[in-house]
Amino acid sequence: FRNRYYSYGHGHLISKGRAYTGYRTIMAQRRHGYLARVNYYSNPHVKYPVTGTVTGIRGRSNNARVLIANRFALAAIGDDSNASACAQKNQYKHFRHYRYHTSQKSCRQKCYGNSA
């Protein structure tokens, strides 16, 4: 699959290294020999301890970089503590749309309970 927003925003199939099988990062697709998903985002600077191999490839699979680059927009969306009408209707199809939706007064009122 191709990520049209981030060329490096892909999951990673972690090589088996010293383990008996390979693993896959949180957002990697299932593939034979890589069935177990581990609680790691792809990142070429991090090794998975079980295998001793990296969890990403520079320029190809680095979802940690995508999250870091968008951390402020993601934090501004909030958490699930106040489940919102907007989230229930799935109006946030992609977090890049955050600025548009939060600029709309009615959506802000529904989602965040304020009129600012």
Side-chain angles (χ1 to χ4, degrees):
F1 296 101
R2 187 171 163 254
N3 183 329
R4 67 182 186 170
Y5 297 105
Y6 302 97
S7 60
Y8 51 86
H10 299 279
H12 183 71
L13 299 174
I14 303 169
S15 299
K16 68 179 185 174
R18 59 180 176 246
Y20 67 93
T21 186
Y23 295 86
R24 59 191 173 111
T25 60
I26 291 172
M27 298 183 77
Q29 298 291 321
R30 184 176 296 167
R31 183 186 273 178
H32 180 72
Y34 302 89
L35 299 179
R37 184 171 28 209
V38 296
N39 195 22
Y40 282 74
Y41 284 99
S42 57
N43 185 338
H45 304 292
V46 173
K47 287 186 178 183
Y48 184 55
V50 174
T51 64
T53 58
V54 294
T55 62
I57 297 173
R58 185 182 175 125
R60 185 169 166 198
S61 53
N62 193 348
N63 277 320
R65 181 178 168 196
V66 174
L67 292 169
I68 291 168
N70 293 284
R71 66 189 178 275
F72 298 115
L74 293 167
I77 292 170
D79 58 24
D80 292 353
S81 61
N82 292 321
S84 67
C86 291
Q88 290 170 2
K89 291 179 182 175
N90 196 24
Q91 291 185 19
Y92 293 99
K93 294 183 191 288
H94 192 275
F95 58 81
R96 281 181 173 245
H97 296 213
Y98 162 76
R99 288 190 182 120
Y100 170 77
H101 287 292
T102 56
S103 68
Q104 306 303 308
K105 185 176 180 180
S106 63
C107 187
R108 269 200 321 270
Q109 288 173 331
K110 285 181 196 172
C111 294
Y112 302 104
N114 64 36
S115 59

